[in-house]
Structures are given as structure tokens and as C-alpha cells.
């Protein structure tokens, strides 16, 4: 029976005592330590030999490149979750660190649990990020293929572990919610990770119209306009008309 694969961690820390403490914590908890580096050159050499699952990165390291700048260089070539370690929690340092979008931020001095929980959460977040990225790429590829076939007015979305076909004619509205959009259709709701701009372009402008920054509506589902809201046929929710979209809606609906 094969043993469980160990998580590979690269430690980038210029304080040897701190680096040794972290290494001991990881080894005692069944992690594999790929190495300990204290500067940018050594770090990049380690990564070129074997890509770690996660990097524990001290912000202040030896050499002309600090941990934040090194993280920028790493992200240009690799998709590795980075956790910052630092004794500095001042606002300017935090603002610079945020640009790199680290998966976690650990202040020194730290406890064993701080290291372990940060790694666990970062790996989980990274896994979910990869899943969302794959879903988006799959959706984009399907829609891109459909856009080349003008006779096919359908879109596929992921639901319950499978790809579900939605006919354009069955869509009432598309609703935005942060980084996701919800397709409200005659046979259910489907949530996908995509932008409204992307969906608007792929649905086309002939049968759909942007009514609000958060809503795209199928034109032939509109029954009436009441109090600056769109009333749709057999759809309970009223859709607000955004000020920036009012003129275009009235024009498209041939309002007299």
C-alpha cells in the first residue's frame, strides 16, 4: 500500500534559528521540506529543480531583492501559493504585500498552529482557485466554439458535476453576484464563475439587453415596464432599470 503523498514546502527565511524552528514544525507534522533559502537566487534555484506545493516566504531576506519582489518574480512563471512571514506589520509593508496576493500572512513571533493552519487554508484556497480556473476555461472554450456556429443558440454550464445545455430561448435573466453570474431559466437556476461582460458578449445583442449593471434580460420575455422596473412573463422577480441603460432599453423596445 503506497504512503500518502507529502505536501512539499519551501522555506525562505534569512534567520537561521527561525528557519530551523519552521523546518522542525513541518517535519514533525509529515510535511516534506524541499529546502531552506535565505535569498532570491537560492530560492529560484530550488524551484527550478522541483516546484513546491507552497512557499513560506519571509518578507525581509538577504540580498537586493526582498520577499515581496521575489514573490512577484515567482508568480510570473509559477502558480504556487505563497505565505508571507514577517515581523513587520506596518501599513506600508502590508500594502506592498497585498499586491502580490499572498494566500496567508503570518506575523512573528508565531505559534506552531499558525504555520500549520496557514498552510492548510492556503492549500485549500489554491485547490478551489484551480477548480474555478478550469471551470472558467471549459466554459469559455465551449462558448467560443458555439460562437463560431451561428445556428446554435445554446450555452453549456456546469451543474452538479455535469455540463448542462441551456437554450437561449429558455433564459429569463442573467444576474451578477460578485465574481459569479446566475442564469435564471424556465427549468431552473445555474451559477457559473464568469463576468457579465463576457456573458453579454457571448449571448449577443439581438435577443438580450443589459437592463442594469447586475442584470441581462431576454427581450422577448419582457411583458411591461412599471415604475422603472421590467416585468417579465411568468417570472416573479421585477428587474430594475439602471439609469445608464434606460435610453437603450426604450430604444430597443420601440417605446412610443
Amino acid at each position: 500500500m503506497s504512503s500518502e503523498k507529502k505536501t512539499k514546502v519551501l522555506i525562505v527565511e534569512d534567520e537561521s534559528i527561525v528557519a530551523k524552528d519552521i523546518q522542525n514544525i513541518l517535519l514533525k507534522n509529515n510535511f516534506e521540506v524541499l529546502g531552506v533559502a535565505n535569498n532570491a537566487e537560492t530560492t529560484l534555484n530550488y524551484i527550478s529543480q522541483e516546484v513546491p506545493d507552497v512557499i513560506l516566504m519571509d518578507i525581509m531576506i538577504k540580498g537586493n531583492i526582498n520577499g515581496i519582489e521575489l514573490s512577484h518574480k515567482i508568480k510570473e512563471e509559477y502558480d504556487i501559493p505563497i505565505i508571507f512571514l514577517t515581523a513587520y506589520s506596518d501599513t506600508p509593508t502590508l500594502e506592498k504585500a497585498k499586491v502580490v496576493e499572498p494566500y496567508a500572512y503570518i506575523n512573528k513571533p508565531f505559534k506552531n498552529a499558525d504555520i500549520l493552519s496557514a498552510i492548510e487554508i492556503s492549500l485549500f484556497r489554491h485547490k478551489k482557485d484551480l477548480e474555478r480556473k478550469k471551470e472558467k476555461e471549459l466554459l469559455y472554450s465551449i462558448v467560443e466554439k458555439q460562437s463560431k456556429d451561428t445556428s446554435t443558440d445554446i450555452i453549456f454550464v456546469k451543474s452538479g458535476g455535469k455540463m448542462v445545455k441551456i437554450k437561449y430561448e429558455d433564459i429569463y435573466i442573467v444576474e451578477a453576484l460578485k465574481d459569479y453570474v446566475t442564469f435564471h431559466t424556465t427549468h431552473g437556476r445555474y451559477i457559473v464563475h464568469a463576468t457579465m461582460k463576457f456573458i453579454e458578449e457571448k449571448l449577443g445583442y439581438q435577443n438580450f439587453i443589459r437592463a442594469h449593471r447586475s442584470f441581462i434580460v431576454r427581450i422577448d420575455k419582457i411583458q411591461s415596464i412599471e415604475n422603472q422596473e421590467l416585468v417579465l412573463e411568468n417570472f416573479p422577480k421585477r428587474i430594475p432599470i439602471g439609469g445608464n441603460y434606460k435610453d437603450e432599453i426604450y430604444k430597443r423596445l420601440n417605446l412610443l
Side-chain angles (χ1 to χ4, degrees):
M1 184 175 178
S2 60
S3 59
E4 184 179 350
K5 181 183 176 182
K6 294 183 178 181
T7 298
K8 297 176 290 186
V9 184
L10 177 61
I11 302 170
V12 185
E13 169 62 62
D14 66 348
E15 295 183 53
S16 58
I17 295 177
V18 175
K20 189 64 177 178
D21 286 343
I22 295 173
Q23 187 173 16
N24 289 336
I25 293 170
L26 296 176
L27 293 176
K28 288 179 181 178
N29 287 275
N30 205 35
F31 289 92
E32 178 183 350
V33 178
L34 292 185
V36 178
N38 62 10
N39 59 68
E41 183 179 359
T42 306
T43 301
L44 295 174
N45 284 337
Y46 272 123
I47 297 174
S48 66
Q49 294 172 24
E50 186 171 5
V51 178
D53 296 311
V54 63
I55 299 175
L56 295 174
M57 175 78 71
D58 186 16
I59 286 182
M60 303 305 294
I61 57 177
K62 292 182 179 180
N64 297 324
I65 299 179
N66 63 33
I68 297 174
E69 295 165 337
L70 175 56
S71 296
H72 276 293
K73 291 178 68 68
I74 293 171
K75 291 190 69 174
E76 288 175 358
E77 296 187 43
Y78 303 94
D79 184 11
I80 308 171
I82 295 174
I83 300 171
F84 279 141
L85 303 166
T86 185
Y88 301 89
S89 57
D90 57 285
T91 300
T93 300
L94 289 174
E95 289 300 318
K96 291 178 182 178
K98 284 195 309 186
V99 176
V100 186
E101 298 181 343
Y103 276 75
Y105 197 101
I106 302 174
N107 285 313
K108 300 176 184 177
F110 48 77
K111 300 177 182 178
N112 293 14
D114 296 333
I115 297 290
L116 300 176
S117 60
I119 292 176
E120 182 178 355
I121 292 171
S122 297
L123 291 174
F124 178 80
R125 283 185 54 204
H126 186 246
K127 179 183 177 182
K128 292 300 180 183
D129 285 346
L130 290 177
E131 290 175 355
R132 284 192 290 267
K133 183 179 179 182
K134 289 180 180 178
E135 288 178 10
K136 184 183 291 187
E137 289 174 349
L138 178 59
L139 174 63
Y140 281 19
S141 65
I142 291 174
V143 175
E144 192 65 31
K145 182 177 183 298
Q146 292 169 2
S147 66
K148 297 177 182 178
D149 183 2
T150 55
S151 65
T152 307
D153 289 335
I154 60 173
I155 191 170
F156 281 83
V157 299
K158 185 175 181 181
S159 177
K162 61 182 179 180
M163 300 303 294
V164 178
K165 179 177 70 175
I166 299 177
K167 295 179 180 179
Y168 285 8
E169 64 188 35
D170 292 336
I171 298 173
Y172 283 110
I173 66 169
V174 181
E175 181 178 7
L177 181 61
K178 293 186 178 180
D179 295 331
Y180 294 84
V181 298
T182 301
F183 286 85
H184 295 261
T185 75
T186 56
H187 47 81
R189 296 190 307 163
Y190 303 93
I191 300 174
V192 299
H193 191 269
T195 65
M196 286 290 274
K197 181 179 179 181
F198 172 78
I199 297 299
E200 186 177 21
E201 290 175 352
K202 295 307 176 183
L203 289 178
Y205 299 95
Q206 182 176 354
N207 297 311
F208 293 89
I209 190 168
R210 190 75 172 264
H212 186 276
R213 64 191 301 268
S214 299
F215 295 100
I216 298 171
V217 179
R218 183 168 174 91
I219 295 174
D220 62 8
K221 300 291 188 185
I222 299 174
Q223 187 175 54
S224 63
I225 300 176
E226 298 179 16
N227 300 319
Q228 297 301 309
E229 293 179 324
L230 298 177
V231 179
L232 309 184
E233 295 178 2
N234 302 315
F235 190 72
K237 185 172 184 174
R238 295 192 174 200
I239 309 304
I241 299 175
N244 293 334
Y245 306 94
K246 179 179 177 181
D247 292 343
E248 179 65 17
I249 289 175
Y250 287 174
K251 179 180 177 182
R252 294 281 300 279
L253 295 181
N254 293 322
L255 190 66
L256 299 179

